[in-house]
Amino acid sequence: MHPLHAEVLEITPLRLKQADHTGTGSNTQTVLTLNPQLLSDIQLAASLIDLSVIYQGADVGITEKHLLLPSAQLNSQQKRQLWKLLSEY
């Protein structure tokens, strides 16, 4: 509602929170397409958990049986984090 209309009708206009306004949320995760060799290696290392979908996240991690990676191309530090994480499962 336009602020002028709200003033005429004596209604306090509502304001959205910043997270709602920008449209960011947990449902807007990007699915990553990995190199076939990296995907195969991850599946071999994590044979006890089902990592069927790999999402883009801020850091390397696993949540609700989903693997989170910063990007499809990992640097050496991110690869070390990934293998350390998978070795715990």
Side-chain angles (χ1 to χ4, degrees):
M1 176 179 287
H2 192 275
L4 180 62
H5 296 135
E7 184 179 330
V8 169
L9 297 173
E10 297 179 358
I11 298 173
T12 304
L14 299 176
R15 295 183 187 204
L16 296 176
K17 294 181 180 177
Q18 186 65 22
D20 294 337
H21 182 66
T22 59
T24 59
S26 61
N27 295 335
T28 59
Q29 291 184 331
T30 304
V31 176
L32 293 178
T33 304
L34 298 179
N35 175 327
Q37 183 62 47
L38 177 59
L39 182 59
S40 174
D41 291 345
I42 289 172
Q43 290 172 343
L44 286 173
S47 60
L48 298 178
I49 53 177
D50 179 28
L51 297 173
S52 56
V53 180
I54 300 172
Y55 289 108
Q56 184 171 6
D59 201 11
V60 176
I62 295 178
T63 59
E64 299 175 10
K65 293 191 178 183
H66 297 297
L67 180 62
L68 301 174
L69 296 176
S71 66
Q73 298 293 324
L74 302 176
N75 62 31
S76 60
Q77 180 185 8
Q78 292 166 337
K79 287 179 184 177
R80 282 192 292 273
Q81 289 175 345
L82 173 63
W83 299 125
K84 181 180 178 183
L85 178 69
L86 291 178
S87 70
E88 294 172 359
Y89 286 92

